[in-house]
mmCIF file of all heavy atoms in Angstrom:
data_model
loop_
_atom_site.group_PDB
_atom_site.id
_atom_site.type_symbol
_atom_site.label_atom_id
_atom_site.label_comp_id
_atom_site.label_asym_id
_atom_site.label_seq_id
_atom_site.Cartn_x
_atom_site.Cartn_y
_atom_site.Cartn_z
ATOM 1 N N LEU A 270 114.415 114.594 101.545
ATOM 2 C CA LEU A 270 114.114 113.950 100.203
ATOM 3 C C LEU A 270 113.681 112.511 100.409
ATOM 4 O O LEU A 270 112.811 112.006 99.726
ATOM 5 C CB LEU A 270 115.206 114.176 99.264
ATOM 6 C CG LEU A 270 115.016 113.608 97.833
ATOM 7 C CD1 LEU A 270 113.813 114.200 97.163
ATOM 8 C CD2 LEU A 270 116.294 113.957 97.005
ATOM 9 N N CYS A 271 114.432 111.777 101.191
ATOM 10 C CA CYS A 271 114.111 110.370 101.523
ATOM 11 C C CYS A 271 112.677 110.282 102.087
ATOM 12 O O CYS A 271 111.936 109.388 101.668
ATOM 13 C CB CYS A 271 115.073 109.803 102.528
ATOM 14 S SG CYS A 271 116.596 109.240 101.851
ATOM 15 N N SER A 272 112.301 111.193 102.980
ATOM 16 C CA SER A 272 110.971 111.185 103.487
ATOM 17 C C SER A 272 109.955 111.455 102.427
ATOM 18 O O SER A 272 108.868 110.840 102.395
ATOM 19 C CB SER A 272 110.839 112.272 104.610
ATOM 20 O OG SER A 272 109.549 112.322 105.091
ATOM 21 N N LEU A 273 110.272 112.360 101.532
ATOM 22 C CA LEU A 273 109.382 112.668 100.402
ATOM 23 C C LEU A 273 109.201 111.466 99.452
ATOM 24 O O LEU A 273 108.094 111.147 99.102
ATOM 25 C CB LEU A 273 109.888 113.835 99.593
ATOM 26 C CG LEU A 273 108.966 114.542 98.598
ATOM 27 C CD1 LEU A 273 107.902 115.355 99.383
ATOM 28 C CD2 LEU A 273 109.747 115.463 97.654
ATOM 29 N N CYS A 274 110.278 110.758 99.203
ATOM 30 C CA CYS A 274 110.207 109.561 98.386
ATOM 31 C C CYS A 274 109.433 108.429 99.058
ATOM 32 O O CYS A 274 108.609 107.679 98.414
ATOM 33 C CB CYS A 274 111.591 109.086 98.040
ATOM 34 S SG CYS A 274 112.481 110.152 96.836
ATOM 35 N N PHE A 275 109.616 108.260 100.322
ATOM 36 C CA PHE A 275 108.888 107.187 101.077
ATOM 37 C C PHE A 275 107.385 107.510 101.058
ATOM 38 O O PHE A 275 106.539 106.683 100.884
ATOM 39 C CB PHE A 275 109.376 107.095 102.521
ATOM 40 C CG PHE A 275 108.588 106.148 103.383
ATOM 41 C CD1 PHE A 275 108.726 104.769 103.226
ATOM 42 C CD2 PHE A 275 107.658 106.639 104.256
ATOM 43 C CE1 PHE A 275 108.016 103.953 104.018
ATOM 44 C CE2 PHE A 275 106.907 105.777 105.109
ATOM 45 C CZ PHE A 275 107.083 104.385 104.914
ATOM 46 N N ASN A 276 107.109 108.838 101.223
ATOM 47 C CA ASN A 276 105.714 109.255 101.211
ATOM 48 C C ASN A 276 105.112 109.015 99.801
ATOM 49 O O ASN A 276 103.911 108.644 99.664
ATOM 50 C CB ASN A 276 105.620 110.787 101.538
ATOM 51 C CG ASN A 276 104.146 111.189 101.645
ATOM 52 O OD1 ASN A 276 103.396 110.625 102.404
ATOM 53 N ND2 ASN A 276 103.851 112.327 100.995
ATOM 54 N N GLY A 277 105.836 109.238 98.734
ATOM 55 C CA GLY A 277 105.414 108.941 97.379
ATOM 56 C C GLY A 277 105.038 107.478 97.202
ATOM 57 O O GLY A 277 104.096 107.138 96.493
ATOM 58 N N ILE A 278 105.881 106.592 97.759
ATOM 59 C CA ILE A 278 105.605 105.178 97.661
ATOM 60 C C ILE A 278 104.282 104.834 98.379
ATOM 61 O O ILE A 278 103.465 104.055 97.875
ATOM 62 C CB ILE A 278 106.716 104.334 98.248
ATOM 63 C CG1 ILE A 278 107.957 104.457 97.419
ATOM 64 C CG2 ILE A 278 106.358 102.812 98.386
ATOM 65 C CD1 ILE A 278 109.178 103.791 97.968
ATOM 66 N N CYS A 279 104.030 105.426 99.533
ATOM 67 C CA CYS A 279 102.787 105.274 100.258
ATOM 68 C C CYS A 279 101.599 105.730 99.487
ATOM 69 O O CYS A 279 100.565 105.056 99.420
ATOM 70 C CB CYS A 279 102.861 105.990 101.620
ATOM 71 S SG CYS A 279 104.057 105.268 102.807
ATOM 72 N N GLY A 280 101.726 106.919 98.844
ATOM 73 C CA GLY A 280 100.655 107.462 98.021
ATOM 74 C C GLY A 280 100.319 106.556 96.887
ATOM 75 O O GLY A 280 99.159 106.269 96.627
ATOM 76 N N ALA A 281 101.334 106.153 96.139
ATOM 77 C CA ALA A 281 101.089 105.277 94.998
ATOM 78 C C ALA A 281 100.540 103.903 95.429
ATOM 79 O O ALA A 281 99.679 103.357 94.673
ATOM 80 C CB ALA A 281 102.437 105.100 94.274
ATOM 81 N N SER A 282 100.990 103.440 96.560
ATOM 82 C CA SER A 282 100.517 102.119 96.991
ATOM 83 C C SER A 282 99.059 102.142 97.524
ATOM 84 O O SER A 282 98.416 101.096 97.702
ATOM 85 C CB SER A 282 101.410 101.597 98.130
ATOM 86 O OG SER A 282 102.811 101.399 97.617
ATOM 87 N N SER A 283 98.580 103.360 97.876
ATOM 88 C CA SER A 283 97.159 103.464 98.240
ATOM 89 C C SER A 283 96.248 103.431 97.072
ATOM 90 O O SER A 283 95.023 103.205 97.221
ATOM 91 C CB SER A 283 96.988 104.759 98.995
ATOM 92 O OG SER A 283 96.996 105.915 98.155
ATOM 93 N N PHE A 284 96.803 103.528 95.889
ATOM 94 C CA PHE A 284 95.978 103.662 94.666
ATOM 95 C C PHE A 284 96.166 102.477 93.688
ATOM 96 O O PHE A 284 95.194 101.819 93.283
ATOM 97 C CB PHE A 284 96.314 104.987 93.970
ATOM 98 C CG PHE A 284 95.764 105.126 92.585
ATOM 99 C CD1 PHE A 284 94.389 105.258 92.427
ATOM 100 C CD2 PHE A 284 96.603 105.098 91.467
ATOM 101 C CE1 PHE A 284 93.845 105.334 91.096
ATOM 102 C CE2 PHE A 284 96.070 105.211 90.194
ATOM 103 C CZ PHE A 284 94.747 105.375 90.014
ATOM 104 N N TYR A 285 97.419 102.178 93.349
ATOM 105 C CA TYR A 285 97.658 101.181 92.256
ATOM 106 C C TYR A 285 97.183 99.794 92.558
ATOM 107 O O TYR A 285 96.554 99.127 91.695
ATOM 108 C CB TYR A 285 99.158 101.197 91.970
ATOM 109 C CG TYR A 285 99.612 102.272 91.040
ATOM 110 C CD1 TYR A 285 100.406 103.321 91.493
ATOM 111 C CD2 TYR A 285 99.217 102.268 89.715
ATOM 112 C CE1 TYR A 285 100.835 104.355 90.633
ATOM 113 C CE2 TYR A 285 99.669 103.332 88.827
ATOM 114 C CZ TYR A 285 100.427 104.303 89.345
ATOM 115 O OH TYR A 285 100.856 105.321 88.497
ATOM 116 N N PRO A 286 97.441 99.182 93.777
ATOM 117 C CA PRO A 286 97.017 97.772 93.955
ATOM 118 C C PRO A 286 95.515 97.563 93.751
ATOM 119 O O PRO A 286 95.108 96.602 93.144
ATOM 120 C CB PRO A 286 97.444 97.507 95.389
ATOM 121 C CG PRO A 286 98.592 98.393 95.607
ATOM 122 C CD PRO A 286 98.259 99.694 94.887
ATOM 123 N N LYS A 287 94.733 98.443 94.275
ATOM 124 C CA LYS A 287 93.306 98.335 94.100
ATOM 125 C C LYS A 287 92.861 98.538 92.597
ATOM 126 O O LYS A 287 92.033 97.833 92.125
ATOM 127 C CB LYS A 287 92.537 99.371 94.963
ATOM 128 C CG LYS A 287 91.016 99.418 94.756
ATOM 129 C CD LYS A 287 90.375 98.107 95.070
ATOM 130 C CE LYS A 287 88.844 98.191 94.897
ATOM 131 N NZ LYS A 287 88.142 96.919 94.904
ATOM 132 N N LEU A 288 93.553 99.483 91.986
ATOM 133 C CA LEU A 288 93.249 99.711 90.575
ATOM 134 C C LEU A 288 93.588 98.471 89.701
ATOM 135 O O LEU A 288 92.845 98.063 88.829
ATOM 136 C CB LEU A 288 93.987 100.927 90.054
ATOM 137 C CG LEU A 288 93.932 101.209 88.562
ATOM 138 C CD1 LEU A 288 92.507 101.607 88.154
ATOM 139 C CD2 LEU A 288 94.924 102.330 88.168
ATOM 140 N N LEU A 289 94.753 97.907 89.953
ATOM 141 C CA LEU A 289 95.205 96.714 89.229
ATOM 142 C C LEU A 289 94.228 95.553 89.471
ATOM 143 O O LEU A 289 93.920 94.785 88.526
ATOM 144 C CB LEU A 289 96.610 96.354 89.647
ATOM 145 C CG LEU A 289 97.752 97.316 89.270
ATOM 146 C CD1 LEU A 289 99.005 96.971 89.937
ATOM 147 C CD2 LEU A 289 97.875 97.352 87.756
ATOM 148 N N HIS A 290 93.770 95.402 90.679
ATOM 149 C CA HIS A 290 92.854 94.312 91.008
ATOM 150 C C HIS A 290 91.508 94.562 90.228
ATOM 151 O O HIS A 290 90.932 93.608 89.647
ATOM 152 C CB HIS A 290 92.575 94.290 92.496
ATOM 153 C CG HIS A 290 91.535 93.295 92.906
ATOM 154 N ND1 HIS A 290 90.154 93.729 93.004
ATOM 155 C CD2 HIS A 290 91.527 92.019 93.226
ATOM 156 C CE1 HIS A 290 89.392 92.666 93.361
ATOM 157 N NE2 HIS A 290 90.213 91.640 93.476
ATOM 158 N N ASP A 291 91.039 95.778 90.198
ATOM 159 C CA ASP A 291 89.783 96.076 89.546
ATOM 160 C C ASP A 291 89.841 95.917 88.024
ATOM 161 O O ASP A 291 88.870 95.551 87.386
ATOM 162 C CB ASP A 291 89.287 97.528 89.876
ATOM 163 C CG ASP A 291 88.784 97.647 91.278
ATOM 164 O OD1 ASP A 291 88.561 96.579 91.930
ATOM 165 O OD2 ASP A 291 88.626 98.757 91.821
ATOM 166 N N LEU A 292 91.035 96.155 87.472
ATOM 167 C CA LEU A 292 91.203 95.992 86.026
ATOM 168 C C LEU A 292 91.152 94.519 85.602
ATOM 169 O O LEU A 292 90.994 94.174 84.446
ATOM 170 C CB LEU A 292 92.540 96.583 85.559
ATOM 171 C CG LEU A 292 92.547 98.126 85.536
ATOM 172 C CD1 LEU A 292 93.967 98.675 85.314
ATOM 173 C CD2 LEU A 292 91.617 98.691 84.500
ATOM 174 N N LEU A 293 91.332 93.594 86.593
ATOM 175 C CA LEU A 293 91.336 92.194 86.295
ATOM 176 C C LEU A 293 90.005 91.514 86.638
ATOM 177 O O LEU A 293 89.854 90.303 86.399
ATOM 178 C CB LEU A 293 92.429 91.490 87.019
ATOM 179 C CG LEU A 293 93.886 91.818 86.597
ATOM 180 C CD1 LEU A 293 94.869 91.083 87.536
ATOM 181 C CD2 LEU A 293 94.135 91.483 85.183
ATOM 182 N N THR A 294 89.066 92.252 87.244
ATOM 183 C CA THR A 294 87.784 91.688 87.647
ATOM 184 C C THR A 294 86.667 92.460 87.063
ATOM 185 O O THR A 294 86.811 93.655 86.568
ATOM 186 C CB THR A 294 87.686 91.700 89.175
ATOM 187 O OG1 THR A 294 87.711 93.089 89.638
ATOM 188 C CG2 THR A 294 88.764 90.876 89.824
ATOM 189 N N ASN A 295 85.535 91.908 87.036
ATOM 190 C CA ASN A 295 84.260 92.526 86.525
ATOM 191 C C ASN A 295 83.547 93.286 87.642
ATOM 192 O O ASN A 295 82.638 94.059 87.340
ATOM 193 C CB ASN A 295 83.321 91.491 85.920
ATOM 194 C CG ASN A 295 83.941 90.853 84.661
ATOM 195 O OD1 ASN A 295 84.614 91.587 83.859
ATOM 196 N ND2 ASN A 295 83.775 89.586 84.489
ATOM 197 N N SER A 296 83.857 92.949 88.871
ATOM 198 C CA SER A 296 83.188 93.604 90.013
ATOM 199 C C SER A 296 84.104 94.635 90.712
ATOM 200 O O SER A 296 85.081 94.197 91.289
ATOM 201 C CB SER A 296 82.697 92.525 91.037
ATOM 202 O OG SER A 296 82.126 93.110 92.172
ATOM 203 N N HIS A 297 83.784 95.873 90.575
ATOM 204 C CA HIS A 297 84.621 96.891 91.128
ATOM 205 C C HIS A 297 84.011 97.387 92.448
ATOM 206 O O HIS A 297 83.314 98.442 92.529
ATOM 207 C CB HIS A 297 84.736 98.110 90.145
ATOM 208 C CG HIS A 297 85.138 97.633 88.769
ATOM 209 N ND1 HIS A 297 84.618 98.199 87.584
ATOM 210 C CD2 HIS A 297 85.939 96.672 88.370
ATOM 211 C CE1 HIS A 297 85.140 97.586 86.577
ATOM 212 N NE2 HIS A 297 85.995 96.678 87.013
ATOM 213 N N VAL A 298 84.308 96.677 93.499
ATOM 214 C CA VAL A 298 83.703 97.017 94.787
ATOM 215 C C VAL A 298 84.773 97.100 95.850
ATOM 216 O O VAL A 298 85.957 96.618 95.610
ATOM 217 C CB VAL A 298 82.683 95.892 95.240
ATOM 218 C CG1 VAL A 298 81.543 95.853 94.201
ATOM 219 C CG2 VAL A 298 83.368 94.552 95.323
ATOM 220 N N ILE A 299 84.421 97.775 96.929
ATOM 221 C CA ILE A 299 85.379 97.942 98.020
ATOM 222 C C ILE A 299 84.557 98.024 99.350
ATOM 223 O O ILE A 299 83.528 98.660 99.369
ATOM 224 C CB ILE A 299 86.229 99.157 97.911
ATOM 225 C CG1 ILE A 299 87.300 99.290 98.991
ATOM 226 C CG2 ILE A 299 85.410 100.445 97.807
ATOM 227 C CD1 ILE A 299 88.348 100.405 98.766
ATOM 228 N N THR A 300 85.000 97.332 100.375
ATOM 229 C CA THR A 300 84.280 97.321 101.617
ATOM 230 C C THR A 300 84.404 98.681 102.277
ATOM 231 O O THR A 300 85.306 99.445 101.945
ATOM 232 C CB THR A 300 84.816 96.222 102.581
ATOM 233 O OG1 THR A 300 86.167 96.496 102.916
ATOM 234 C CG2 THR A 300 84.691 94.863 101.916
ATOM 235 N N TYR A 301 83.529 98.927 103.216
ATOM 236 C CA TYR A 301 83.503 100.217 103.947
ATOM 237 C C TYR A 301 84.859 100.429 104.687
ATOM 238 O O TYR A 301 85.415 101.507 104.613
ATOM 239 C CB TYR A 301 82.369 100.252 104.985
ATOM 240 C CG TYR A 301 82.210 101.474 105.797
ATOM 241 C CD1 TYR A 301 81.733 102.699 105.267
ATOM 242 C CD2 TYR A 301 82.672 101.465 107.117
ATOM 243 C CE1 TYR A 301 81.658 103.821 106.018
ATOM 244 C CE2 TYR A 301 82.571 102.629 107.949
ATOM 245 C CZ TYR A 301 82.071 103.768 107.334
ATOM 246 O OH TYR A 301 82.006 104.943 108.070
ATOM 247 N N SER A 302 85.333 99.405 105.411
ATOM 248 C CA SER A 302 86.556 99.575 106.161
ATOM 249 C C SER A 302 87.729 99.742 105.254
ATOM 250 O O SER A 302 88.663 100.571 105.509
ATOM 251 C CB SER A 302 86.838 98.329 107.043
ATOM 252 O OG SER A 302 86.828 97.178 106.309
ATOM 253 N N ALA A 303 87.744 99.049 104.097
ATOM 254 C CA ALA A 303 88.833 99.177 103.140
ATOM 255 C C ALA A 303 88.790 100.598 102.524
ATOM 256 O O ALA A 303 89.832 101.159 102.193
ATOM 257 C CB ALA A 303 88.731 98.124 102.038
ATOM 258 N N CYS A 304 87.661 101.125 102.203
ATOM 259 C CA CYS A 304 87.492 102.427 101.727
ATOM 260 C C CYS A 304 88.043 103.482 102.693
ATOM 261 O O CYS A 304 88.819 104.394 102.239
ATOM 262 C CB CYS A 304 86.032 102.730 101.416
ATOM 263 S SG CYS A 304 85.696 104.311 100.603
ATOM 264 N N LEU A 305 87.713 103.364 103.950
ATOM 265 C CA LEU A 305 88.234 104.267 104.950
ATOM 266 C C LEU A 305 89.807 104.159 105.068
ATOM 267 O O LEU A 305 90.442 105.173 105.191
ATOM 268 C CB LEU A 305 87.618 104.013 106.307
ATOM 269 C CG LEU A 305 86.101 104.394 106.522
ATOM 270 C CD1 LEU A 305 85.675 104.091 107.939
ATOM 271 C CD2 LEU A 305 85.943 105.875 106.192
ATOM 272 N N GLY A 306 90.231 102.958 104.948
ATOM 273 C CA GLY A 306 91.713 102.762 104.994
ATOM 274 C C GLY A 306 92.458 103.384 103.805
ATOM 275 O O GLY A 306 93.470 104.030 103.954
ATOM 276 N N GLN A 307 91.857 103.197 102.579
ATOM 277 C CA GLN A 307 92.388 103.827 101.386
ATOM 278 C C GLN A 307 92.378 105.356 101.564
ATOM 279 O O GLN A 307 93.384 106.048 101.211
ATOM 280 C CB GLN A 307 91.624 103.414 100.148
ATOM 281 C CG GLN A 307 92.238 103.900 98.826
ATOM 282 C CD GLN A 307 91.489 103.501 97.642
ATOM 283 O OE1 GLN A 307 90.275 103.709 97.557
ATOM 284 N NE2 GLN A 307 92.180 102.890 96.673
ATOM 285 N N MET A 308 91.269 105.868 102.041
ATOM 286 C CA MET A 308 91.197 107.321 102.255
ATOM 287 C C MET A 308 92.227 107.811 103.257
ATOM 288 O O MET A 308 92.849 108.851 103.061
ATOM 289 C CB MET A 308 89.778 107.688 102.773
ATOM 290 C CG MET A 308 88.706 107.661 101.683
ATOM 291 S SD MET A 308 87.053 107.668 102.402
ATOM 292 C CE MET A 308 87.190 108.878 103.696
ATOM 293 N N PHE A 309 92.431 107.064 104.353
ATOM 294 C CA PHE A 309 93.414 107.443 105.414
ATOM 295 C C PHE A 309 94.803 107.542 104.775
ATOM 296 O O PHE A 309 95.531 108.572 105.006
ATOM 297 C CB PHE A 309 93.393 106.498 106.549
ATOM 298 C CG PHE A 309 94.316 106.842 107.699
ATOM 299 C CD1 PHE A 309 93.836 107.772 108.669
ATOM 300 C CD2 PHE A 309 95.542 106.416 107.779
ATOM 301 C CE1 PHE A 309 94.664 108.133 109.666
ATOM 302 C CE2 PHE A 309 96.353 106.751 108.790
ATOM 303 C CZ PHE A 309 95.940 107.604 109.791
ATOM 304 N N VAL A 310 95.219 106.512 104.021
ATOM 305 C CA VAL A 310 96.601 106.528 103.505
ATOM 306 C C VAL A 310 96.670 107.610 102.372
ATOM 307 O O VAL A 310 97.724 108.331 102.362
ATOM 308 C CB VAL A 310 96.871 105.144 102.876
ATOM 309 C CG1 VAL A 310 98.298 105.176 102.207
ATOM 310 C CG2 VAL A 310 96.839 104.078 103.905
ATOM 311 N N THR A 311 95.671 107.798 101.593
ATOM 312 C CA THR A 311 95.746 108.811 100.514
ATOM 313 C C THR A 311 95.827 110.219 101.106
ATOM 314 O O THR A 311 96.717 110.976 100.651
ATOM 315 C CB THR A 311 94.402 108.692 99.650
ATOM 316 O OG1 THR A 311 94.364 107.447 99.052
ATOM 317 C CG2 THR A 311 94.456 109.773 98.553
ATOM 318 N N TYR A 312 95.038 110.536 102.088
ATOM 319 C CA TYR A 312 95.107 111.872 102.652
ATOM 320 C C TYR A 312 96.282 112.136 103.532
ATOM 321 O O TYR A 312 96.817 113.226 103.623
ATOM 322 C CB TYR A 312 93.795 112.230 103.341
ATOM 323 C CG TYR A 312 92.614 112.471 102.369
ATOM 324 C CD1 TYR A 312 91.756 111.417 102.138
ATOM 325 C CD2 TYR A 312 92.521 113.630 101.686
ATOM 326 C CE1 TYR A 312 90.686 111.656 101.217
ATOM 327 C CE2 TYR A 312 91.528 113.797 100.779
ATOM 328 C CZ TYR A 312 90.589 112.832 100.575
ATOM 329 O OH TYR A 312 89.614 113.013 99.640
#
């Protein structure tokens, strides 16, 4: 269960920080390397 919870934190952290940043800016962009990194953590 601890492993499941840690995994949940990783999954949420792959999504929320970028979303929060985009909600505060007018330019919703992401670099190629950052996109691959987000995909890697998400999957």
Side-chain angles (χ1 to χ4, degrees):
L270 180 56
C271 276
S272 177
L273 195 72
C274 289
F275 175 76
N276 188 50
I278 294 176
C279 293
S282 297
S283 72
F284 169 69
Y285 278 110
K287 174 58 179 170
L288 175 65
L289 293 170
H290 174 269
D291 287 348
L292 287 171
L293 294 178
T294 61
N295 294 320
S296 178
H297 309 141
V298 297
I299 184 170
T300 63
Y301 178 77
S302 58
C304 184
L305 289 182
Q307 185 179 54
M308 286 165 42
F309 183 85
V310 178
T311 299
Y312 287 100

